[in-house]
Amino acid sequence: MMKQDRTISENQLAVTAFVLMLSPALRLFPSAAAEYAGHSAPLAALLAFFPAALYLFLVCRAAALRREGEGLCAMIARALPGRFGRMALGILCLWLLAYAGFVLRSGADRFIIAVYPGAPVGFFVLTMAAAALSAAFAPYRDAARTAKLVFPAVGGVLALVLVFSLGKLHADNLLPLMPESAAGLLGGMLPGLDVLVWTMCAPLFALGEVKKESCSYPRLLGALAAGCAVLALMSTAVIGSFGAALSSSLSWPFFSLVRNLVFFRSVERAEALVVALWVFPDFLIVSLFLRAAREALALSLGRRLQSLADARAALPLCAAAACVFAMLAAPDAAALSLLSQTVIPAANLFFALVFLPLILLTGKRKGRL
């Protein structure tokens, strides 16, 4: 019998990264970039390409250091053997579960605001967690296949919204193109860089199933440029329709934009469909991070206890921990807003730009990678 190929191709990797990007992009970028850069937020998205391209180069160099079948968690264990490595993996496990819980909570908030006002948060959190948990038992390749299947739907809807928003744009909301200040433009780049860097980091946990040739820097650079273009177009549509001041104050500006659009002169209130489609990026993020958290937990416990974390019961425990965080960390809209706009983006940048590079650089200098 022919052995089944469980590796992830370059095309699947790029599509998965794009679908994963859609969740933080819609949640964070339009309002945060508008707050800092004003009407120049689209320009800030394009300028974020340059530091993101440098980071992508470093990611590809780091990916080349892996051994056959080795993902990011295993690379950390090899880079920092012993107590410090286990501590680092334990911290990473906690962060993965916290982020998964945050995605569950923000996804529930999106449904409540756009479709089911007054509905209980716990229903949406537990439903999504159960679906993601079932997917977390499958190989990463299955998640990549799912991303490729939903890509035409979410990409097509995104393109449709951007096209139909052209009639809502007001030139005075976007012009002049020159930024008011360099500091504002740099501040506007940070949310875009946060989204792009996170998108490049998240697939690293699936490196064990990624083909070596799938991490080619020149090929992935084009996908990164496309991601920057999507952020710029999204920001143009939102700010061009609402203005920078209103855009910066909206919780979900993209879905507010959809609510005000009429498709084909007859289809109104399409935000329910769009919100439902955006379940898939959240689903992929949570399932990916649950499995990565289990791997980090297994490697952090040491040889004597690894079998406990490798057991099938470990994944449900991880899902339960993410649900607990989702319910306790953001009991109201103010707490969720603080997480979404400040805590989560700052933690993302710390793990992506400090925590992981420092560990991998240490392993490289010590000759372990």
Side-chain angles (χ1 to χ4, degrees), residues 86-111:
R86 291 195 296 271
M87 289 176 57
L89 286 163
I91 293 171
L92 180 62
C93 176
L94 292 176
W95 164 240
L96 291 170
L97 294 177
Y99 193 92
F102 166 73
V103 172
L104 292 173
R105 179 63 180 87
S106 62
D109 183 69
R110 193 168 62 235
F111 264 106

Side-chain angles (χ1 to χ4, degrees), residues 249-270:
S249 65
L250 294 172
S251 299
W252 295 97
F254 181 79
F255 295 105
S256 298
L257 175 66
V258 175
R259 185 181 292 120
N260 288 283
L261 295 179
V262 177
F263 297 89
F264 307 109
R265 298 184 180 180
S266 59
V267 181
E268 300 184 32
R269 305 291 295 176

Side-chain angles (χ1 to χ4, degrees), residues 110-292:
R110 193 168 62 235
F111 264 106
I112 292 170
I113 290 177
V115 187
Y116 300 107
V121 171
F123 172 78
F124 297 104
V125 168
L126 295 176
T127 301
M128 174 58 71
L133 174 61
S134 64
F137 285 106
Y140 284 123
R141 176 171 170 79
D142 290 356
R145 286 177 171 175
T146 302
K148 197 168 183 178
L149 286 174
V150 303
F151 170 73
V154 294
V157 167
L158 178 60
L160 194 66
V161 170
L162 293 176
V163 169
F164 275 84
S165 69
L166 293 176
K168 299 284 186 178
L169 300 185
H170 301 281
D172 54 339
N173 288 337
L174 296 168
L175 298 175
L177 293 177
M178 294 301 295
E180 297 177 1
S181 68
L185 190 61
L186 290 174
M189 286 173 57
L190 276 179
L193 185 62
D194 189 294
V195 170
L196 295 170
V197 162
W198 182 93
T199 302
M200 287 182 271
C201 272
L204 291 178
F205 295 103
L207 272 180
E209 297 179 24
V210 176
K211 295 179 179 179
K212 280 279 189 178
E213 61 271 19
S214 297
C215 292
S216 168
Y217 178 69
R219 296 173 184 173
L220 294 177
L221 195 62
L224 175 62
C228 288
V230 168
L231 292 180
L233 291 172
M234 190 185 306
S235 184
T236 300
V238 170
I239 294 176
S241 298
F242 300 128
L246 179 57
S247 298
S248 64
S249 65
L250 294 172
S251 299
W252 295 97
F254 181 79
F255 295 105
S256 298
L257 175 66
V258 175
R259 185 181 292 120
N260 288 283
L261 295 179
V262 177
F263 297 89
F264 307 109
R265 298 184 180 180
S266 59
V267 181
E268 300 184 32
R269 305 291 295 176
E271 67 270 18
L273 172 62
V274 178
V275 167
L277 278 176
W278 253 253
V279 166
F280 290 106
D282 290 350
F283 164 80
L284 288 171
I285 292 170
V286 175
S287 61
L288 172 68
F289 277 20
L290 286 180
R291 180 170 175 175

